[in-house]
Amino acid sequence: MYIPKEQINSFFQDINSFGISYVLIKNMDDELPAHLENGKDIDILVKEEDKDLFAQKMLGLRYQSCIPPCGISNGWSFAYGLTEYQFWKKPVEEYDIYIDACFKLCCKSLTPKVWIPLDKKINNDIWEQRVWNEKQKWYELDEKTEVIYLVVRSIFDKHVFSNVYKKEIEKRKNLLKEFDVREKLQLVFFHFTDTLIEMVLNGRYEEIIPKYLSFTEY
């Protein structure tokens, strides 16, 4: 069952009206606004200085604050000063709307149950480079940051390049040739960056994670 798109649109209309700085982190296979399955969450990034205002407004919209599934209460750690994300739920008739709000673009560490932020430059540039989607009326990541995030998340969070992630990366993979994208990937992958880019450009997804985990030329 899909959550009615009117509920999704209403959420974004509300946070737009509050003047909160945010971006929609990902919209895999264009599931928003009309094809979000009941039980799946909406992932957004909120500027850290708007964290308290966002929480206040979410309560005003009758969202319930929930224990983050991958948060401190469930044994997770947040490294390098990363703030724990907020997890919100709004019961509406026969379905629930879930909002996952983090305050730095981040990923899971290869160390179990640890979250780490992406490099400061990546996070700072998001707010200058975010894109207004005129059709959907929401802010979203720019294409360059999104392809970086999809690659990072496939390796660190998912431990696999799933078909849906590969599809989204393929749409944007030529951006990996851009100097600024390579520069930012290098902040995460260091000397493995050129190998990573070459493998993505040539569609060698199945080889990337084993190659990265065995890489020694740091």
Side-chain angles (χ1 to χ4, degrees):
M1 181 178 66
Y2 295 138
I3 295 172
K5 67 178 182 179
E6 292 78 14
Q7 294 289 339
I8 306 299
N9 291 334
S10 177
F11 167 73
F12 284 103
Q13 287 169 9
D14 286 332
I15 59 173
N16 287 333
S17 70
F18 298 145
I20 291 167
S21 295
Y22 76 92
V23 291
L24 176 64
I25 295 177
K26 57 185 172 60
N27 186 18
M28 306 303 293
D29 222 10
D30 294 322
E31 64 183 356
L32 297 174
H35 299 99
L36 183 68
E37 294 179 4
N38 186 28
K40 293 191 70 176
D41 55 23
I42 300 172
D43 294 313
I44 65 170
L45 176 67
V46 175
K47 206 168 190 177
E48 192 142 21
E49 44 262 52
D50 286 347
K51 176 169 65 75
D52 293 339
L53 175 62
F54 177 73
Q56 174 192 327
K57 295 298 185 181
M58 291 294 279
L59 292 171
L61 294 173
R62 299 184 180 179
Y63 279 81
Q64 302 167 359
S65 178
C66 303
I67 294 173
C70 295
I72 293 169
S73 295
N74 288 317
W76 288 76
S77 299
F78 292 78
Y80 306 113
L82 184 64
T83 302
E84 183 179 30
Y85 68 97
Q86 294 176 3
F87 196 68
W88 298 89
K89 168 184 164 183
K90 185 175 185 179
V92 183
E93 299 173 358
E94 69 275 15
Y95 52 87
D96 298 323
I97 303 173
Y98 292 97
I99 307 295
D100 185 329
C102 59
F103 308 104
K104 287 280 192 301
L105 198 62
C106 57
C107 66
K108 295 172 183 174
S109 170
L110 293 178
T111 302
K113 304 193 85 168
V114 176
W115 287 98
I116 55 174
L118 299 193
D119 189 89
K120 185 177 180 180
K121 178 171 177 53
I122 297 172
N123 270 288
N124 286 349
D125 285 354
I126 285 170
W127 303 110
E128 294 181 7
Q129 297 172 356
R130 66 179 180 162
V131 175
W132 173 250
N133 186 319
E134 180 60 31
K135 179 182 177 182
Q136 304 295 354
K137 308 298 183 187
W138 61 48
Y139 283 100
E140 57 194 23
L141 287 178
D142 65 282
E143 295 276 279
K144 290 181 177 182
T145 303
E146 186 158 4
V147 73
I148 290 168
Y149 179 68
L150 292 171
V151 170
V152 168
R153 195 157 193 261
S154 294
I155 294 172
F156 287 92
D157 290 26
K158 300 294 187 179
H159 308 297
V160 67
F161 282 84
S162 66
N163 288 335
V164 68
Y165 270 70
K166 285 189 285 189
K167 179 180 176 181
E168 296 296 329
I169 292 168
E170 283 290 311
K171 293 177 187 176
R172 306 166 175 88
K173 70 178 184 180
N174 283 334
L175 294 172
L176 299 175
K177 300 175 184 177
E178 301 287 332
F179 174 79
D180 55 336
V181 176
R182 180 190 177 280
E183 186 179 48
K184 287 179 179 177
L185 275 174
Q186 200 166 29
L187 296 170
V188 180
F189 294 103
F190 306 100
H191 292 303
F192 185 69
T193 303
D194 289 337
T195 300
L196 171 62
I197 291 172
E198 183 271 331
M199 294 176 84
V200 172
L201 291 175
N202 288 286
R204 295 163 55 196
Y205 292 102
E206 306 308 316
E207 302 173 44
I208 291 173
I209 294 174
K211 185 82 170 176
Y212 176 62
L213 293 177
S214 62
F215 188 71
T216 59
E217 297 175 25
Y218 286 101

